[in-house]
Amino acid sequence: MTAADSEFAAVLTGVFHRYPGEVRDSISAIDLTLRSGERVALIGPSGAGKSTLLSLLDGRLRGFRGGAIVLSNALDARRAPPRNERAKVGFIFQEFALVERASVRENVRNGRLGRVTQMAALFNRFSEADHSAVDRAMADAGILEFSEKRADCLSGGQRQRVAIARCLAQEPQLMLADEPISNLDPLRAEKILQLLGQTVGRRNSTLMFSSHQPVLAMRYADRVIALNNGSIAYDGSPEKLDRVLLAEIYANDKGSDCPSLRLVG
Amino acid sequence: MKPTDPDESRRASWRAVWPSLVIGAAILWAGIGSDIELSRVANAGGRIAEFLSRMFPPDLSIAREAVDATLETLRIAILGTIGCILASAALGFLAAESMTPRAINAPVKAMLALMRAIPLILVAMLMVGAVGLGPLPGILAIAFHATGMLGKFYADAIEGVDRAPVAALESAGATLLQRLRYAVWPQMAPDLLRDTVFRFELNLRESLILGVVGAGGVGFYIQTYVRSFQYDKAATLTIIVVLIVLLIELANTWLRRLSR
């Protein structure tokens, strides 16, 4: 790895993808460079390709065409990246994807699995470094007080913070979040975005999150990428993205959302 | 929905009536066809009192024998349960729709249904024929019969596993074994434990009768003493069996409380 490589968290060149049985590309002709340390908001109407793009960067998308380099590892369209590469990219799932019958602490500790040896983990042997990373992640996410509760006893907002803490415990260089503030009231949504922004800054990693609330999302990002019909419709600073352009991007939204209301937020 | 056509309305009322007719006919058939004299129940009171009185006092001289025989039944239930756990783990995996293609899971599911449909006593008789008298045919029979149910339960537990956290752990860099250990196992373990303990209780009760066909355990003694009218000895056996079964159930309740 050269010094130039580490400047970039991800480099995508001419990426196309289409889900089996679909007539339209889910993402098409994506050229995109993420610089290390950036906080990027990914906006666009439903079905614009936000989740597809995020799962591509996470190395979970199979069957894409084009070049995709994430943290200097070239992704293979046919198989998942090697374990150590997967550990470097953290993902916060929209539905949280927690182990319901496990405690909060166990769920957060699962974020460390990519960094411990297989045998040690199978026998529940985690190092001091692992334990302190878990504690730090829980403290950052503000969930220490209920760390021994089971995940299925928590409220939606608490579960969200557990999902974030699991990602923080992983100490990823690139953090991806799929709709981290959907289903949250505006106050909580701001808190979560603040938390993500701060921790990413503190840990010197890169953040990309998708959102259906562009105005709110733009406040916590230093770069906005708008997707429309699988292509990039805008890529630049949040300041330059005016409401006219935003309305245009959402104009042909055929999804169930109501963008005109969200623009006010 | 209102049927306008009179023919249609007649058909609808027929559809509503025929299940009751079938059930009624079945009850009539069972009652008329059997040779049942209810008067015999009325006269039974004296006889019941007589053999109850013959049970007292229980003959404690066979207490030692009774405990040994009951413990043999317990051993049969334990080893039979181990056998059905092993078989159920393999067959339950194959029967789970989330693990195997339909060409495999459908026939395996059908086989499990067939296994639990064959009565235990029949399986035990066949096993005695195959491997001879003693506890071994009892263990094999229990293992076979119980797998029909436990294998189905295990398949249900496997099918109930939520894939999202498994995918999340893979994305975080967890290996296949780690995913099984930290995402799949915690989701299944409480169900597996509950189902297995439940099946063990059933195995213990069902294995009490195995001795009747020579497949080991306390059943043989109960049968012998009842047939030779030694009700005082049969009473001792009954008391010891009930005590041991109750003890095991207490232990199971405690075990189940550990897992949720």
Side-chain angles (χ1 to χ4, degrees):
Chain A
M1 195 170 80
T2 66
D5 285 335
S6 62
E7 273 178 43
F8 301 109
V11 180
L12 306 182
T13 40
V15 175
F16 290 82
H17 176 265
R18 182 179 293 190
Y19 288 103
E22 289 290 317
V23 289
R24 206 166 59 78
D25 287 334
S26 53
I27 47 175
S28 65
I30 300 282
D31 289 302
L32 180 62
T33 303
L34 294 184
R35 281 176 294 279
S36 293
E38 274 186 321
R39 286 174 299 175
V40 184
L42 187 60
I43 63 169
S46 300
K50 302 190 295 295
S51 292
T52 307
L53 180 57
L54 286 171
S55 61
L56 166 73
L57 291 169
D58 193 35
R60 279 183 289 118
L61 191 69
R62 302 279 82 86
F64 64 84
R65 287 180 291 126
I69 298 171
V70 174
L71 301 171
S72 8
N73 171 52
L75 296 181
D76 187 329
R78 285 156 302 170
R79 60 183 70 87
R83 186 180 178 219
N84 61 323
E85 296 298 334
R86 298 202 306 271
K88 287 188 209 161
V89 183
F91 201 94
I92 300 165
F93 291 81
Q94 189 176 3
E95 305 299 338
F96 316 141
L98 302 177
V99 181
E100 297 295 332
R101 279 165 158 169
S103 72
V104 167
R105 181 181 295 278
E106 286 165 334
N107 267 294
V108 175
R109 203 180 52 196
N110 283 343
R112 299 297 298 173
L113 288 176
R115 303 191 175 271
V116 295
T117 65
Q118 169 136 308
M119 273 303 133
L122 286 183
F123 294 103
N124 236 334
R125 286 258 161 297
F126 289 88
S127 68
E128 267 315 300
D130 292 324
H131 286 303
S132 61
V134 169
D135 283 334
R136 205 159 356 108
M138 289 199 294
D140 281 353
I143 57 173
L144 268 177
E145 65 202 279
F146 50 87
S147 63
E148 306 311 320
K149 268 197 181 180
R150 256 168 59 154
D152 53 6
C153 301
L154 304 179
S155 72
Q158 291 172 326
R159 294 155 63 76
Q160 177 121 45
R161 283 188 283 163
V162 177
I164 291 173
R166 176 173 66 191
C167 185
L168 294 178
Q170 193 182 329
E171 299 183 320
Q173 294 170 38
L174 171 61
M175 207 154 139
L176 306 164
D178 196 1
E179 308 266 354
I181 56 169
S182 64
N183 309 319
L184 291 182
D185 61 66
L187 199 71
R188 272 174 213 275
E190 294 221 27
K191 274 201 173 140
I192 291 290
L193 289 181
Q194 230 164 15
L195 169 67
L196 285 176
Q198 282 168 357
T199 48
V200 162
R202 207 178 304 151
R203 288 152 195 256
N204 203 21
S205 51
T206 313
L207 170 69
M208 184 184 228
F209 65 95
S210 66
S211 178
H212 267 302
Q213 286 148 275
V215 177
L216 190 56
M218 276 154 37
R219 239 183 279 157
Y220 292 91
D222 33 47
R223 179 177 169 189
V224 173
I225 295 173
L227 283 182
N228 200 1
N229 287 324
S231 316
I232 294 176
Y234 176 85
D235 180 358
S237 73
E239 292 80 25
K240 288 197 184 127
L241 177 59
D242 60 27
R243 290 189 173 221
V244 180
L245 191 52
L246 201 52
E248 226 168 81
I249 292 165
Y250 277 91
N252 52 356
D253 181 10
K254 295 172 205 79
S256 55
D257 302 275
C258 188
S260 57
L261 284 179
R262 289 177 196 276
L263 291 183
V264 185
Chain B
M1 200 174 75
K2 219 191 277 173
T4 46
D5 178 13
D7 278 354
E8 174 57 30
S9 123
R10 211 171 300 132
R11 274 197 293 273
S13 56
W14 171 240
R15 270 199 298 275
V17 159
W18 76 259
S20 325
L21 289 179
V22 169
I23 293 168
I27 294 171
L28 276 177
W29 172 79
I32 294 169
S34 309
D35 179 20
I36 301 168
E37 299 162 53
L38 285 175
S39 59
R40 274 158 58 184
V41 176
N43 299 334
R47 250 172 283 161
I48 292 173
E50 193 214 325
F51 78 65
L52 277 182
S53 73
R54 277 212 262 158
M55 282 179 136
F56 282 98
D59 180 358
L60 293 177
S61 67
I62 59 143
R64 172 92 231 156
E65 197 184 333
V67 170
D68 285 348
T70 310
L71 290 181
E72 184 175 68
T73 292
L74 182 59
R75 275 200 293 271
I76 291 173
I78 290 172
L79 293 177
T81 305
I82 303 271
C84 81
I85 290 172
L86 296 177
S88 299
L91 292 176
F93 178 86
L94 293 176
E97 276 164 31
S98 50
M99 288 294 153
T100 56
R102 204 170 154 65
I104 294 176
N105 67 54
V108 174
K109 272 205 164 109
M111 186 177 79
L112 290 172
L114 188 70
M115 285 167 78
R116 57 180 181 268
I118 305 175
L120 176 66
I121 198 78
L122 193 62
V123 182
M125 281 154 76
L126 293 174
M127 291 294 176
V128 169
V131 300
L133 296 168
L136 180 62
I139 294 164
L140 294 176
I142 287 281
F144 178 89
H145 177 73
T147 297
M149 180 197 274
L150 200 61
K152 167 82 165 62
F153 283 175
Y154 282 9
D156 288 346
I158 293 170
E159 282 169 6
V161 168
D162 178 10
R163 297 237 173 170
V166 185
L169 263 56
E170 180 178 17
S171 153
T175 63
L176 176 67
L177 274 176
Q178 288 177 334
R179 275 174 266 154
L180 288 173
R181 164 77 177 76
Y182 288 98
V184 177
W185 180 248
Q187 293 191 57
M188 297 195 315
D191 292 343
L192 297 187
L193 183 63
R194 187 198 59 212
D195 295 342
T196 307
V197 168
F198 172 60
R199 189 57 238 186
F200 170 65
E201 264 179 39
L202 289 181
N203 287 350
L204 182 59
R205 276 157 215 242
E206 294 185 355
S207 60
L208 290 170
I209 57 146
L210 287 173
V212 173
V213 296
V218 71
F220 170 72
Y221 295 92
I222 296 181
Q223 186 198 28
T224 307
Y225 291 135
V226 170
R227 287 218 172 136
S228 56
F229 306 108
Q230 303 181 62
Y231 291 122
D232 49 350
K233 290 182 176 156
T236 310
L237 279 172
T238 310
I239 292 166
I240 284 166
V241 164
V242 167
L243 280 180
I244 290 182
V245 170
L246 278 180
L247 261 168
I248 301 287
E249 288 203 6
L250 276 177
N252 286 346
T253 310
W254 168 78
L255 199 62
R256 248 194 299 253
R257 207 167 296 152
L258 286 184
S259 73
R260 245 189 326 127

